[in-house]
Amino acid sequence: SEMCIRDRHGVNGKMLANCSVMQANFSSNFLSQLTLRLKEKTFTPEEMVYFEGETDIFLFEITSGSVELFLGAMNTHLKRVAKDETFGEWSFFTGNRYTESARCTDFTNLFVIWRNDVLELLDNFSLDREKFFCLRDRLTLYTALSLSLIHIS
């Protein structure tokens, strides 16, 4: 059992090592516990990861394959995300609905962290909890300021 846990830390910890926002802001103890909650999921080409407007929020990292982020009915391409890149960060930290949709372009493996798992775990890590909500507030403020600047010009 201890060997299994050590192996999960090694494999799943790789995701967290590639996620700079997590590495820069959270304690190693918190990240170590978080690795136990990571899941790996496999998707086929053209399979949807999530749809714009969904409220069940996850943070994703691609371990193989690629994902296209796009806007709704017009299918407007925003970005292609590839191996070792993360996506879903804005919704993950703010708790707001996804503002885009995500579709796999190849056979794709993703590491997945459910936002609710993180929030539950943060109850045991007060400093990390404070940092998480500080990030949320900064992103929300940045978005609000960006939108107000668009309306001003």
Side-chain angles (χ1 to χ4, degrees):
S1 171
E2 184 179 321
M3 176 75 143
C4 183
I5 288 173
R6 201 175 304 134
D7 184 55
R8 270 184 74 103
H9 279 288
V11 172
N12 292 352
K14 188 177 146 190
M15 176 201 180
L16 297 177
N18 290 329
C19 188
S20 60
V21 70
M22 298 298 274
Q23 288 296 319
N25 290 288
F26 300 104
S27 70
S28 58
N29 286 340
F30 172 75
L31 295 175
S32 178
Q33 288 299 306
L34 188 56
T35 61
L36 299 174
R37 298 183 183 225
L38 295 176
K39 306 279 189 269
E40 189 166 13
K41 294 192 174 191
T42 302
F43 293 83
T44 58
E46 300 301 313
E47 187 174 354
M48 295 299 296
V49 178
Y50 61 80
F51 290 93
E52 185 176 336
E54 279 187 27
T55 58
D56 205 13
I57 306 297
F58 297 86
L59 177 65
F60 303 91
E61 182 181 316
I62 301 173
T63 59
S64 66
S66 61
V67 172
E68 177 190 20
L69 304 178
F70 66 96
L71 291 178
M74 298 303 288
N75 228 10
T76 305
H77 173 82
L78 295 175
K79 181 179 181 181
R80 187 179 180 127
V81 191
K83 185 178 188 234
D84 294 333
E85 293 184 292
T86 56
F87 62 99
E89 297 96 332
W90 186 82
S91 293
F92 182 78
F93 285 106
T94 64
N96 293 328
R97 298 168 187 258
Y98 291 115
T99 56
E100 75 287 332
S101 295
R103 173 179 48 227
C104 294
T105 56
D106 303 305
F107 286 99
T108 303
N109 290 314
L110 302 174
F111 275 133
V112 179
I113 305 173
W114 189 33
R115 186 175 194 271
N116 289 350
D117 277 348
V118 172
L119 293 175
E120 180 182 301
L121 186 59
L122 283 169
D123 287 341
N124 301 316
F125 295 89
S126 59
L127 186 56
D128 291 299
R129 182 176 178 78
E130 186 178 318
K131 289 179 180 180
F132 183 92
F133 287 107
C134 184
L135 280 170
R136 178 201 63 188
D137 294 344
R138 285 182 184 170
L139 285 169
T140 303
L141 179 62
Y142 176 78
T143 302
L145 288 173
S146 296
L147 290 174
S148 68
L149 291 175
I150 290 170
H151 292 295
I152 292 171
S153 45

